[in-house]
Amino acid sequence: MTSRRNIEPPVEIEGVADAEGTEPDRLDKLLQRGHVVIPANPRHRGVVPKAIGAEMGVKVNANLGTSRDLMDVSMELEKVRVAIAYGSDTIMDLSTGGDISQIRKDVLSACKLPVGTVPIYEAVCRSSGKGGPLAMTEDDLFGVIEDHAKDGVDFMTVHCGVTTKTVQSLKRAGRTTGIVSRGGAMLTAWMEEAGKENPLYENYDHLLDLAREHGFALSLGDGLRPGSIADATDAPQVHELMVLGELVMRAREAGVQVMVEGPGHVPLDQIEANVRLEKAVCDGAPFYVLGPLVCDVAAGYDHIAGAIGGALAAYHGADFLCYVTPSEHLSLPTAEDVRRGVVASRIAAHAADVARGRGGDWDLMMSRARKAFDWEKMLSLCMDPERAREFRERVAPADSRTCTMCGEFCAMKMVDKLLRD
Amino acid sequence: MTSRRNIEPPVEIEGVADAEGTEPDRLDKLLQRGHVVIPANPRHRGVVPKAIGAEMGVKVNANLGTSRDLMDVSMELEKVRVAIAYGSDTIMDLSTGGDISQIRKDVLSACKLPVGTVPIYEAVCRSSGKGGPLAMTEDDLFGVIEDHAKDGVDFMTVHCGVTTKTVQSLKRAGRTTGIVSRGGAMLTAWMEEAGKENPLYENYDHLLDLAREHGFALSLGDGLRPGSIADATDAPQVHELMVLGELVMRAREAGVQVMVEGPGHVPLDQIEANVRLEKAVCDGAPFYVLGPLVCDVAAGYDHIAGAIGGALAAYHGADFLCYVTPSEHLSLPTAEDVRRGVVASRIAAHAADVARGRGGDWDLMMSRARKAFDWEKMLSLCMDPERAREFRERVAPADSRTCTMCGEFCAMKMVDKLLRD
């Protein structure tokens, strides 16, 4: 192992360890190894930190934020409220429309969960006001990163692996869907226009200095992630991942917390391989997957395609699931879409936790409540109690112990006495 | 191999083979081996048969039917329409309320998809009018089966594996949720009350005669399937499966088409084992899984918990997915619940097909349409085009090539020219 700086725990570690049912010493060890991150910027007032990575419960992120077509700040703050209410672990503000800087401040003050951003979005937006998006300078980009850090952003997605070489690999690949990452596309277009290397790669040491100085975590974005089943696990994706693996090592040497983002669109038979590859190439760095979507044709229901992929990815070792909403591929999500997306990802995360030996007590309580016909308890134990209550109360069953699906032919009721005797 | 009767293909096999992209000879071989079933009762007028099993596309079933709390026949017929419209492969009428016999006739005439039933429901309902549900006689039960056969029911769920011995195993198991199968509970209660063996097991040869004579397929029900994660893959479940394995062999010897039903509630880490166990114990008989649900706490969203389990089960070899609706565990589904349930299961089935090398062309067409910004094509290729269009048209994007999520920062748009040069 190369000599390296310690990672300074960004917060008192006891509470975080307690929430995960682990020991502070163990958590600190995993943090130092880089197998767990705890994104928590000291400037994010009141942030409730979460541990993401090996041996921890699987975490869920909800993306929100304006676009230029829809820049209603109150709607975005409502999405923050909904994401928190339905149990998201973190939030990312991906705004690209309106007063982005003010929206971020509003989100940070409304949200005690760790907040992430993608600074390249704001850098490009600022530049597009003066000479077009590609007029951005390296200083503009690092200036935005510093602004985000000072505002208290807990983790930032930086697409450092989109390099001259990986873009060459992309051009050779003859992909079906090219680039589908906004940050990846922005950087690629900028690099081609400027004829320069990616500043986030070229000046990675400076980025690490900023991260350590301000206390934010890095999330190494997958700017070349495949956007279709046809492109899954192709050369550009794997090339980029190998660059990210090197950058993980450099972050650790610099004492900076780092996680790695992953696809995207992945068929079921390639999910395990994707997780194992990331864990091997990035030496166990926490893996943050976007879905993944297990097919391309589920628009309108992509939260379900993403829950299938996310559950399987997390079961095989992915640590952090970025939700997908039903409006993915179609439009900016509404607050109701955010709710559905968060719950779908939480089901995926919880299913993986259960299969990995965590969190089954919740299911046991639910099943005991079912056996006891204790409806109030059942409803309160649901992931989304309000939604469950709506279904339950749609029509009153004749026998309040049962539900309208089976009524008097409720199986548990029919043999209840028999199995107790 | 023991001597056995040929299975008479219930229909011209060419069309079915063609729909599956296989050769008639191959399909007939799989049918004779019992690795594929094609449920199609000659009395079901105009039925469009489907092949279920090895080497075929994964199929989806939608359950519907009245309960005594909700016996609105027009609503059930609307559910039939919705299930067909959103792509279910088969339908099961599980009615237990109102004029069950007439509802079944109505469903059969409204539905060209193969239709399944669970005759024990009607037998118990008829008896409960005269002396209580447990007053049912063996003759009552077989009478109902014959009625269903004559009406043209294509496949029937028969819980033949709920035997005196397997119920003893259940009593020893100390389960969290006892019995959750209605048919299983009815038979168990009846057996205990009458002090007799399960008539469907005791008179299995008679059942086989009826099936062969009338040309319906058997679906061996899992009356003791676990109803909670805590009970998953326990002794009663496996005991019952072993009985079903023997009954599969007897059905094949008698030239009767047979498939096997499976759980239920199964954590992610036990799904593959459940599929392999069924395939081994039942010598490759088609496996029809109910979900499975990968956790117990998702009521209100159980279609998602079921899609996760179903996708993984089908990827590992399950052939037929019974959908779960969002109202599972809470109430009888509405037509909208049926729509959501069917689409969720179709996503699961398709994801498995893609991973098993079938059906990826559809995804490729979609991804090419995305790359070409061809929105009409994209929408028409979605599993649920109307739903997708609702999302798309919620707010018009400024640039009609893009959507309101990313707008001018659409990744594919930003690098479109670059990757074409």
Side-chain angles (χ1 to χ4, degrees):
Chain A
M1 197 181 276
T2 51
S3 78
R4 61 193 210 186
R5 291 177 188 241
N6 271 348
I7 289 170
E8 210 164 314
V11 286
E12 293 292 330
I13 214 164
E14 282 73 15
V16 187
D18 198 49
E20 296 290 334
T22 190
E23 295 300 318
D25 283 356
R26 180 71 191 156
L27 181 55
D28 188 56
K29 192 168 279 179
L30 292 166
L31 185 77
Q32 296 307 326
R33 269 189 207 154
H35 292 185
V36 165
V37 293
I38 306 176
N41 185 325
R43 287 204 183 85
H44 184 184
R45 284 185 50 157
V47 65
V48 178
K50 304 268 178 158
I52 300 165
E55 303 176 23
M56 307 293 117
V58 177
K59 303 300 184 296
V60 166
N61 174 71
N63 285 340
L64 44 90
T66 57
S67 69
R68 294 207 173 170
D69 285 325
L70 269 168
M71 38 176 106
D72 179 345
V73 181
S74 65
M75 188 168 102
E76 297 312 313
L77 292 174
E78 171 63 9
K79 292 182 201 172
V80 172
R81 196 195 62 73
V82 165
I84 296 170
Y86 291 99
S88 193
D89 293 293
T90 66
I91 278 171
M92 289 192 78
D93 172 21
L94 307 186
S95 292
T96 56
D99 185 348
I100 301 175
S101 176
Q102 186 57 47
I103 296 167
R104 180 176 58 259
K105 289 177 181 33
D106 290 347
V107 167
L108 279 160
S109 74
C111 182
K112 301 265 177 278
L113 303 177
V115 171
T117 58
V118 187
I120 184 81
Y121 294 176
E122 186 168 358
V124 165
C125 287
R126 284 189 198 171
S127 309
S128 64
K130 36 167 201 176
L134 304 183
M136 178 188 80
T137 66
E138 282 105 318
D139 286 348
D140 290 341
L141 178 52
F142 281 97
V144 170
I145 291 171
E146 212 159 343
D147 288 350
H148 285 216
K150 287 178 180 163
D151 284 345
V153 168
D154 302 288
F155 62 102
M156 293 184 210
T157 293
V158 278
H159 302 87
C160 307
V162 178
T163 65
T164 308
K165 276 196 177 170
T166 56
V167 169
Q168 278 169 3
S169 170
L170 174 78
K171 287 180 176 177
R172 280 195 303 271
R175 272 189 172 177
T176 300
T177 41
I179 298 181
V180 298
S181 152
R182 268 189 288 183
M186 288 169 174
L187 280 162
T188 303
W190 184 91
M191 287 158 64
E192 291 284 326
E193 176 81 6
K196 288 187 181 174
E197 185 51 278
N198 178 351
L200 296 169
Y201 178 74
E202 193 99 307
N203 305 302
Y204 187 63
D205 287 332
H206 180 47
L207 182 61
L208 293 176
D209 289 342
L210 288 176
R212 193 179 50 247
E213 182 187 333
H214 293 283
F216 62 87
L218 295 184
S219 186
L220 298 177
D222 53 340
L224 304 183
R225 69 173 172 273
S228 55
I229 293 294
D231 296 344
T233 328
D234 70 352
Q237 177 197 330
V238 179
H239 269 137
E240 183 182 27
L241 181 65
M242 292 175 74
V243 175
L244 300 185
E246 291 170 21
L247 300 179
V248 163
M249 304 310 156
R250 286 170 63 188
R252 288 183 187 168
E253 284 160 24
V256 168
Q257 296 197 82
V258 63
M259 57 187 159
V260 173
E261 297 183 18
H265 290 240
V266 188
L268 280 171
D269 59 313
Q270 294 176 23
I271 289 177
E272 180 176 358
N274 269 268
V275 177
R276 293 196 189 281
L277 190 64
E278 187 274 347
K279 291 290 179 184
V281 167
C282 303
D283 189 31
F287 196 25
Y288 176 23
V289 292
L290 314 179
L293 299 175
V294 292
C295 66
D296 300 341
V297 296
Y301 299 80
D302 267 333
H303 60 313
I304 298 178
I308 294 171
L312 195 57
Y315 170 54
H316 288 298
D319 308 284
F320 191 22
L321 304 181
C322 188
Y323 85 164
V324 178
T325 79
S327 66
E328 183 76 20
H329 291 114
L330 297 167
S331 58
L332 202 71
T334 62
E336 174 62 20
D337 296 337
V338 168
R339 175 183 180 175
R340 290 183 191 270
V342 167
V343 175
S345 285
R346 283 189 65 213
I347 292 170
H350 178 65
D353 279 342
V354 167
R356 291 160 77 181
R358 294 181 66 98
D361 288 355
W362 181 8
D363 299 78
L364 189 59
M365 280 193 289
M366 173 65 90
S367 291
R368 286 186 177 149
R370 282 192 177 133
K371 188 69 176 12
F373 306 102
D374 184 344
W375 281 94
E376 280 308 311
K377 190 157 190 183
M378 277 185 249
L379 295 176
S380 73
L381 284 168
C382 286
M383 287 225 172
D384 180 346
E386 298 92 327
R387 178 75 16 108
R389 188 176 294 276
E390 283 165 27
F391 283 106
R392 165 78 180 153
E393 295 182 349
R394 217 152 46 182
V395 177
D399 174 350
S400 66
R401 294 210 302 162
T402 69
C403 85
T404 53
M405 187 142 176
C406 303
E408 69 182 288
F409 298 118
C410 170
M412 287 202 296
K413 199 185 109 181
M414 284 189 278
V415 292
D416 186 36
K417 199 171 159 298
L418 180 71
L419 292 179
R420 270 185 300 163
D421 288 348
Chain B
M1 196 182 278
T2 52
S3 77
R4 61 193 210 186
R5 291 179 187 239
N6 270 349
I7 289 170
E8 210 165 312
V11 286
E12 292 293 328
I13 215 164
E14 283 73 15
V16 188
D18 197 49
E20 296 291 334
T22 190
E23 294 301 316
D25 284 357
R26 179 70 191 155
L27 181 55
D28 188 57
K29 192 167 280 178
L30 292 166
L31 186 76
Q32 296 307 328
R33 268 189 207 154
H35 292 185
V36 165
V37 293
I38 305 176
N41 186 324
R43 288 205 183 85
H44 184 183
R45 283 184 50 154
V47 65
V48 178
K50 304 268 179 160
I52 301 165
E55 301 176 25
M56 308 293 117
V58 177
K59 302 300 184 298
V60 166
N61 173 72
N63 285 340
L64 44 89
T66 57
S67 70
R68 293 205 174 171
D69 286 324
L70 268 168
M71 37 177 104
D72 179 344
V73 181
S74 66
M75 189 168 100
E76 296 312 314
L77 291 174
E78 171 63 9
K79 291 182 201 173
V80 172
R81 197 195 60 75
V82 166
I84 295 169
Y86 292 99
S88 193
D89 293 292
T90 65
I91 278 172
M92 289 191 78
D93 171 21
L94 307 185
S95 291
T96 56
D99 185 349
I100 300 176
S101 176
Q102 186 57 48
I103 295 168
R104 181 177 57 260
K105 289 177 179 39
D106 291 346
V107 167
L108 278 160
S109 74
C111 182
K112 302 265 177 277
L113 302 178
V115 171
T117 57
V118 188
I120 183 81
Y121 294 176
E122 185 168 358
V124 165
C125 287
R126 283 189 197 173
S127 309
S128 65
K130 38 168 200 176
L134 305 184
M136 178 188 82
T137 66
E138 281 103 318
D139 286 346
D140 291 340
L141 178 53
F142 281 97
V144 170
I145 290 171
E146 213 159 342
D147 287 350
H148 286 217
K150 287 178 180 164
D151 283 345
V153 168
D154 303 287
F155 62 102
M156 294 184 208
T157 293
V158 278
H159 301 88
C160 307
V162 178
T163 65
T164 308
K165 277 198 176 168
T166 56
V167 170
Q168 277 169 5
S169 170
L170 175 79
K171 286 181 176 177
R172 280 195 303 271
R175 273 190 172 177
T176 300
T177 40
I179 298 181
V180 297
S181 152
R182 269 190 287 184
M186 287 169 174
L187 281 162
T188 303
W190 184 90
M191 288 158 65
E192 291 283 326
E193 177 81 6
K196 288 187 180 172
E197 185 51 277
N198 178 351
L200 296 170
Y201 179 75
E202 193 99 307
N203 305 303
Y204 187 64
D205 287 332
H206 180 46
L207 183 61
L208 293 175
D209 289 341
L210 288 176
R212 194 179 48 248
E213 181 187 332
H214 293 283
F216 62 87
L218 295 184
S219 186
L220 298 177
D222 53 340
L224 304 183
R225 69 173 171 274
S228 56
I229 293 294
D231 295 343
T233 327
D234 69 353
Q237 178 197 330
V238 179
H239 269 135
E240 183 183 27
L241 181 65
M242 292 174 73
V243 175
L244 300 185
E246 291 170 20
L247 299 180
V248 163
M249 303 310 155
R250 287 170 62 188
R252 288 184 187 168
E253 284 160 25
V256 168
Q257 297 197 81
V258 63
M259 57 186 159
V260 173
E261 297 183 19
H265 290 240
V266 188
L268 280 172
D269 58 313
Q270 294 175 24
I271 289 177
E272 181 177 357
N274 268 269
V275 178
R276 292 195 188 282
L277 190 64
E278 187 275 345
K279 290 289 178 184
V281 167
C282 302
D283 190 30
F287 196 25
Y288 176 22
V289 292
L290 315 179
L293 300 175
V294 292
C295 66
D296 300 340
V297 295
Y301 298 80
D302 267 333
H303 60 314
I304 298 178
I308 294 171
L312 196 57
Y315 171 54
H316 287 299
D319 308 284
F320 192 22
L321 305 181
C322 187
Y323 85 165
V324 177
T325 79
S327 65
E328 182 76 21
H329 292 113
L330 297 167
S331 58
L332 201 73
T334 62
E336 173 63 20
D337 296 337
V338 168
R339 175 183 180 176
R340 290 183 192 271
V342 167
V343 176
S345 284
R346 283 190 65 213
I347 293 170
H350 178 64
D353 279 342
V354 168
R356 291 160 76 180
R358 293 180 67 97
D361 289 354
W362 182 8
D363 300 78
L364 189 58
M365 280 193 288
M366 173 65 92
S367 291
R368 285 186 178 149
R370 282 192 176 132
K371 188 67 176 11
F373 307 102
D374 184 344
W375 281 94
E376 280 309 312
K377 190 156 192 185
M378 276 185 251
L379 295 176
S380 72
L381 285 168
C382 285
M383 288 224 171
D384 180 347
E386 298 92 327
R387 178 75 15 108
R389 188 176 294 277
E390 283 164 28
F391 283 106
R392 166 76 181 154
E393 294 180 350
R394 216 154 46 184
V395 177
D399 175 351
S400 66
R401 294 211 301 163
T402 68
C403 85
T404 53
M405 186 141 177
C406 303
E408 70 182 286
F409 298 118
C410 171
M412 286 201 296
K413 198 185 109 182
M414 282 189 278
V415 292
D416 185 35
K417 198 172 159 297
L418 180 69
L419 291 179
R420 269 186 300 163
D421 288 348

